[in-house]
Amino acid sequence: MTSPAPRVAWIGLGQMGRNMAGNIVRNGPKTFTPPFILHNRTTARAEELSAALPAGLTTVAKSVEDAATEADILFAIVSNDAACTSTVNSIIACPTGIKGKTFVCCSTISPETTTTLAAKVREAGGAFISMPVFGAVAMAEIAQLVCVPAGRKEDIDRIRPFLTGVIGRSVIDLSDRNLTDALKLKIIGNSFILNAATILADAHVLAEKCGLGDGAVFKRFRHAALPGCVAGIQRKDGER
């Protein structure tokens, strides 16, 4: 006999969060028991997303505590360490607590904060997964993120149905590794992206200075190492 699909909540609906949450609802309706719970600090943003998704599949929670009370799995992607700490504290303090629930932290926060929050969650009887993602907003829109989950394998297995083909295109699996390994990889990866973006900017300047024109450089590298970043430039500036 198979276990029923879990109730799922998503906390934090900024540009990344609303795309990731929306893709779970659109691409993976069989992975959760409706309604999928949406929460954002500004309730109107959650209501707007709920209205844009298929009818009957989502509901809006006006507080973190309300979202946590009904959910078995809680994804969160919030702005910084302080916001993540506040979110975890609110979940632990909600009427049902966090015992038996799984908290998935998609925020890029410090390894030290991750260690502290994971200890709190586990002490309260819950599971903690650190899962930063690689990819710009444009990649989140089309479910092409790379997910980097770290934590206990049995915990990560619980969220696998939401990853490849739902919110992302692939997974860098750090099962049974230290939770902070995911964040260390994210930081290293971000340094690659920053350096590549700098090189691309230099190439544009060089192309303009030598009379080639930056359009040729853009078209040459649009599908190369930074497809998400380049897609973001396209959406703002139009095709070059």
Side-chain angles (χ1 to χ4, degrees), residues 64-121:
V64 172
E65 291 85 355
D66 287 345
T69 297
E70 299 296 328
D72 304 304
I73 297 175
L74 299 110
F75 289 87
I77 182 164
V78 293
S79 57
N80 53 38
D81 290 46
C84 199
T85 298
S86 176
T87 298
V88 168
N89 288 341
S90 295
I91 294 170
I92 291 173
C94 80
T96 57
I98 201 169
K99 186 175 182 178
K101 301 177 187 288
T102 301
F103 182 79
V104 187
C105 182
C106 301
S107 308
T108 302
I109 58 176
S110 71
E112 293 78 12
T113 298
T114 296
T115 299
T116 298
L117 295 182
K120 282 186 177 182
V121 168

Side-chain angles (χ1 to χ4, degrees), residues 35-198:
F36 188 91
I37 304 163
L38 300 169
H39 171 73
N40 191 69
R41 183 177 57 182
T42 304
T43 303
R45 179 167 286 188
E47 292 172 339
E48 179 185 346
L49 177 59
S50 181
L53 293 170
L57 291 184
T58 62
T59 188
V60 173
K62 293 188 176 180
S63 70
V64 172
E65 291 85 355
D66 287 345
T69 297
E70 299 296 328
D72 304 304
I73 297 175
L74 299 110
F75 289 87
I77 182 164
V78 293
S79 57
N80 53 38
D81 290 46
C84 199
T85 298
S86 176
T87 298
V88 168
N89 288 341
S90 295
I91 294 170
I92 291 173
C94 80
T96 57
I98 201 169
K99 186 175 182 178
K101 301 177 187 288
T102 301
F103 182 79
V104 187
C105 182
C106 301
S107 308
T108 302
I109 58 176
S110 71
E112 293 78 12
T113 298
T114 296
T115 299
T116 298
L117 295 182
K120 282 186 177 182
V121 168
R122 289 173 175 173
E123 185 178 355
F128 189 102
I129 296 169
S130 176
M131 194 186 77
V133 297
F134 285 110
V137 173
M139 307 305 285
E141 288 180 355
I142 57 174
Q144 289 295 296
L145 298 172
V146 177
C147 304
V148 190
R152 297 169 182 161
K153 182 179 183 302
E154 60 266 31
D155 299 334
I156 293 174
D157 287 345
R158 202 170 300 133
I159 66 164
R160 287 189 195 281
F162 303 97
L163 306 184
T164 306
V166 179
I167 64 172
R169 61 184 170 86
S170 63
V171 173
I172 300 175
D173 191 341
L174 299 182
S175 292
D176 291 331
R177 297 278 296 268
N178 193 303
L179 288 166
T180 61
D181 286 353
L183 291 160
K184 292 173 184 175
L185 182 60
K186 171 71 171 175
I187 292 167
I188 293 170
N190 282 354
S191 70
F192 274 99
I193 293 169
L194 179 61
N195 288 329
T198 301

Side-chain angles (χ1 to χ4, degrees), residues 1-47:
M1 182 176 179
T2 58
S3 300
R7 289 291 307 277
V8 180
W10 192 284
I11 299 168
L13 299 171
Q15 289 187 312
M16 292 294 288
R18 68 172 174 258
N19 284 303
M20 294 166 73
N23 282 331
I24 290 179
V25 176
R26 285 185 291 261
N27 302 335
K30 293 182 180 179
T31 63
F32 64 89
T33 296
F36 188 91
I37 304 163
L38 300 169
H39 171 73
N40 191 69
R41 183 177 57 182
T42 304
T43 303
R45 179 167 286 188
E47 292 172 339

